Amino acid sequence: MNAHSSPDRQAGHAHGPLQERQARQGEPSSASPAARRILALNFPYLATDRIARGRHGKAWRQTAPDTRPLVTAQKEKGAMRIAALDEAAEALGLCRGQGLADARAACPELDIVPADPEADRRLLAAVADWCDRYTPLVAPDGADGLFLDISGCAHLFGGEQGLLSDLMARLHEQGIAVRAALAPTPGAAWAAARFAPAPLVIEKGAEAPVLAPFPLAALRLDAETLAGLAKVGLKTVGQLAAAPRAPLARRFGRQCLLRLDQALGAVEEAISPRLPVPALSAERRLAEPVGRVEDVEQLLLSLAMRLKEDLERRGLGARALEYTLFRVDGAVHRLCVGASRPVRDPETVVRLFRERLAGVGDGFDAGHGFDVVRLNVLATGEISCRQGDFAQTGEDDNPDLALLLDRIAARLGGGAVTDGRHPVRRIEPVESHVPERAERRVPVTGNRKDSPAGEQAPEPAAPRPARLLSAPEPVEVVAGVPEGPPQRFRWRRALYRVARAEGPERIGGEWWTADAPEDLAPDPRDYYRVEDEEGRRYWLFRRGLYGPAGRGAQPQWFMHGMFA
């Protein structure tokens, strides 16, 4: 196997208390939680970077191809305006929102491409997915930014400066320009990422002096509030912080003071991760990328062995697992499997993911290899240690059957089993005369003894079709009155002539159900087995009766199934 872990990057930890993560890294334990550290990323040229990557490849910023100034345009307020632009267009004095006619006059060689906000969102989502290699706490920030909560994670990358440098260098290699800043609060990090001249690391307590010279737009205020503050001579964060608070709140509302307090750390601001935070996680960073499936499975086994210790200590097993593989070119593969019962045996985990890999097939592309792999436990369940006896029988006590069903679900891509509802189902009888209600699909690993219908379904009075429609479909029928069989019928715009017919088989309505009529006298169903001139056999029924017995209502005909 060609996988090697670099000494300073090996990480196998549970994303939980800081002291547990430190113990995994051989650091002294601390009872106090890690200081909050928020990394803000701003992508000022996201749209044009997307276009350049499509034209020249992801390494276009390194090869520096000779290109014209590039902008994207969209219609705003009845006129075509610039939606996004690259560095070259920005250097010419063009700006967002500028009319396209004025931009063409200033730069005749301008390269104009229609704006595609949906493609920009997809690229931002892909970058956010890639940022999971640094922390699982990644939150979107508008259409051009991300927040990363890296509290307690920086030591895995040689410190905060090392993490910041590594992230920016990798994004540059992928052809994406980024501005970044690190601070104790999301507001301070957001402001520094957009208004600081270079990547900035703000220590706790230094927010006020660092943000003081920034314009008030750094506080994420709306345009109307910014215009009002400018009229009274307040243009920087420092001036706003020094002004009396009560008059500001009366004139401009509490929002401007709230944003100021959030940036300076006086009021806590929460960020919402885009993905659920795993209960446990084990990770490995590789000095050399791997691409063979055998190596991927071997790494998975080592990660599962690490997680087994954490699960055993808690008395838990995994119900849903995610294997995340980060490619060196920025692509991310996520494989998810579920278990009908909690598992923590490493070999069992590998067998489930082996089925998922086989199900993905050619969709699993290692590219130039994976340099980071991570195994997440998304959901857990308690494993009770109880001694069995010889009398225990049934599906719930058959671990081999449960594993087989989990492997089938993994191969078919049924998803994770997080709520006890297995994607593989079986049919269970239900106490009902109505055919579409006479059965239900239940998780195949459930206990049949819990079913009120018992083990065996009652035998029907007449043959039932091989295929039963999920809901009866209306048909147009010509039939004898009052109780003659169908002679011809129209179903799904096709006309069928009946050659033979058997019936009727009457099934009475269920007056005790919630959808029964108020008089508790539901219309009966008369079922007919019919065969058309080409030998195809169908199951039709008439709901209601002709004449006085039908209480003045016209009967309706329905198609309910087809015989083999």
Side-chain angles (χ1 to χ4, degrees):
M1 179 175 169
N2 296 326
H4 302 283
S5 296
S6 55
D8 59 333
R9 290 292 181 87
Q10 185 171 347
H13 56 272
H15 290 295
L18 175 65
Q19 53 266 34
E20 183 174 349
R21 280 187 279 177
Q22 289 176 333
R24 286 281 186 173
Q25 298 299 321
E27 297 181 5
S29 175
S30 173
S32 60
R36 193 184 191 200
R37 302 297 288 169
I38 303 297
L39 175 60
L41 303 179
N42 171 238
F43 305 97
Y45 311 110
L46 184 69
T48 53
D49 284 345
R50 171 182 58 81
I51 297 170
R53 280 159 48 103
R55 291 177 176 178
H56 311 293
K58 293 183 178 180
W60 75 276
R61 286 191 172 274
Q62 297 170 285
T63 58
D66 187 14
T67 60
R68 295 181 295 164
L70 174 64
V71 302
T72 65
Q74 64 183 8
K75 195 169 186 178
E76 296 180 12
K77 299 179 180 179
M80 294 298 295
R81 300 183 181 276
I82 295 178
L85 68 169
D86 65 0
E87 297 99 314
E90 195 173 55
L92 295 174
L94 305 183
C95 61
R96 292 176 178 82
Q98 184 177 359
L100 201 56
D102 296 338
R104 278 201 183 102
C107 181
E109 69 276 10
L110 195 62
D111 187 1
I112 303 172
V113 177
D116 190 349
E118 184 58 34
D120 297 339
R121 281 191 289 269
R122 289 196 299 269
L123 177 58
L124 184 63
V127 174
D129 217 24
W130 173 84
C131 285
D132 279 356
R133 66 188 295 127
Y134 298 100
T135 173
L137 303 177
V138 180
D141 174 32
D144 63 350
L146 296 171
F147 283 126
L148 280 66
D149 189 339
I150 63 167
S151 306
C153 300
H155 65 281
L156 300 174
F157 303 89
E160 293 179 347
Q161 283 289 356
L163 186 151
L164 195 60
S165 300
D166 182 77
L167 183 145
M168 297 186 68
R170 289 179 182 271
L171 286 175
H172 180 79
E173 292 173 358
Q174 297 180 37
I176 299 176
V178 61
R179 294 172 179 166
L182 190 57
T185 66
W190 189 95
R194 286 159 176 79
F195 294 93
L200 191 61
V201 176
I202 303 176
E203 299 298 335
K204 185 173 180 59
E207 300 94 335
V210 172
L211 300 184
F214 289 174
L216 289 178
L219 295 180
R220 298 172 289 174
L221 300 175
D222 58 83
E224 182 180 355
T225 302
L226 290 174
L229 291 170
K231 289 180 180 179
V232 298
L234 299 177
K235 299 181 179 179
T236 66
V237 175
Q239 292 174 346
L240 181 65
R245 296 175 65 91
L248 288 174
R250 285 195 301 268
R251 182 166 181 176
F252 301 104
R254 295 189 54 82
Q255 185 66 16
C256 66
L257 296 179
L258 175 63
R259 286 301 193 187
L260 176 65
D261 292 340
Q262 287 176 338
L264 300 182
V267 175
E268 185 174 355
E269 179 182 2
I271 62 173
S272 300
R274 54 189 292 271
L275 297 176
V277 180
L280 290 170
S281 180
E283 178 182 294
R284 189 165 180 181
R285 299 178 179 273
L286 309 174
E288 297 180 7
V290 299
R292 297 192 309 158
V293 175
E294 294 81 359
D295 294 342
V296 169
E297 291 183 357
Q298 188 63 33
L299 289 168
L300 173 63
L301 179 62
S302 66
L303 295 178
M305 293 176 66
R306 293 181 184 178
L307 286 180
K308 181 182 178 181
E309 301 175 6
D310 295 312
L311 292 170
E312 285 180 340
R313 187 164 57 252
R314 293 167 171 79
L316 301 175
R319 295 294 302 274
L321 292 146
E322 179 188 63
Y323 191 27
T324 309
L325 302 105
F326 297 87
R327 276 187 358 194
V328 294
D329 62 352
V332 180
H333 284 278
R334 294 184 185 274
L335 304 174
C336 294
V337 299
S340 55
R341 60 179 64 201
V343 297
R344 60 189 179 208
D345 176 56
E347 293 291 345
T348 302
V349 172
V350 173
R351 292 176 71 181
L352 292 177
F353 277 105
R354 185 176 293 133
E355 297 294 343
R356 184 81 282 269
L357 285 168
V360 173
D362 295 337
F364 183 74
D365 181 13
H368 296 291
F370 305 105
D371 61 344
V372 178
V373 293
R374 181 185 299 156
L375 181 61
N376 295 326
V377 178
L378 302 181
T380 60
E382 184 177 353
I383 296 181
S384 58
C385 298
R386 61 184 179 88
Q387 183 173 352
D389 56 53
F390 293 108
Q392 290 178 352
T393 58
E395 291 176 310
D396 276 355
D397 300 310
N398 191 341
D400 293 335
L401 176 60
L403 177 59
L404 172 63
L405 298 172
D406 292 339
R407 292 177 62 189
I408 293 174
R411 173 66 71 95
L412 299 178
V417 185
T418 59
D419 56 358
R421 301 180 61 187
H422 202 282
V424 180
R425 302 298 181 94
R426 62 177 169 86
I427 295 177
E428 181 181 75
V430 177
E431 293 179 345
S432 176
H433 298 294
V434 181
E436 65 267 24
R437 298 178 183 171
E439 62 186 31
R440 63 184 175 187
R441 289 171 173 79
V442 298
V444 74
T445 53
N447 191 345
R448 295 192 181 191
K449 294 182 180 180
D450 295 336
S451 171
E455 290 285 348
Q456 299 294 332
E459 290 293 332
R464 291 292 183 258
R467 179 189 174 191
L468 188 71
L469 299 179
S470 58
E473 298 182 7
V475 294
E476 299 175 8
V477 173
V478 175
V481 177
E483 295 185 0
Q487 298 175 4
R488 62 176 181 268
F489 62 93
R490 185 181 299 276
W491 176 51
R492 295 181 179 178
R493 300 183 180 180
L495 182 64
Y496 301 85
R497 296 185 181 276
V498 177
R500 298 177 181 83
E502 293 180 347
E505 174 195 355
R506 177 159 294 183
I507 297 179
E510 296 179 342
W511 55 266
W512 57 87
T513 60
D515 57 351
E518 294 182 0
D519 60 0
L520 300 182
D523 293 328
R525 295 183 180 184
D526 287 338
Y527 278 87
Y528 293 87
R529 299 184 299 279
V530 302
E531 181 179 324
D532 67 5
E533 295 176 338
E534 297 182 5
R536 294 171 297 202
R537 302 172 64 203
Y538 303 93
W539 204 36
L540 285 78
F541 72 87
R542 181 188 65 240
R543 186 172 65 190
L545 301 171
Y546 290 101
R551 294 172 293 182
Q554 187 71 12
Q556 296 176 302
W557 286 85
F558 295 88
M559 171 69 70
H560 206 169
M562 287 75 72
F563 291 88

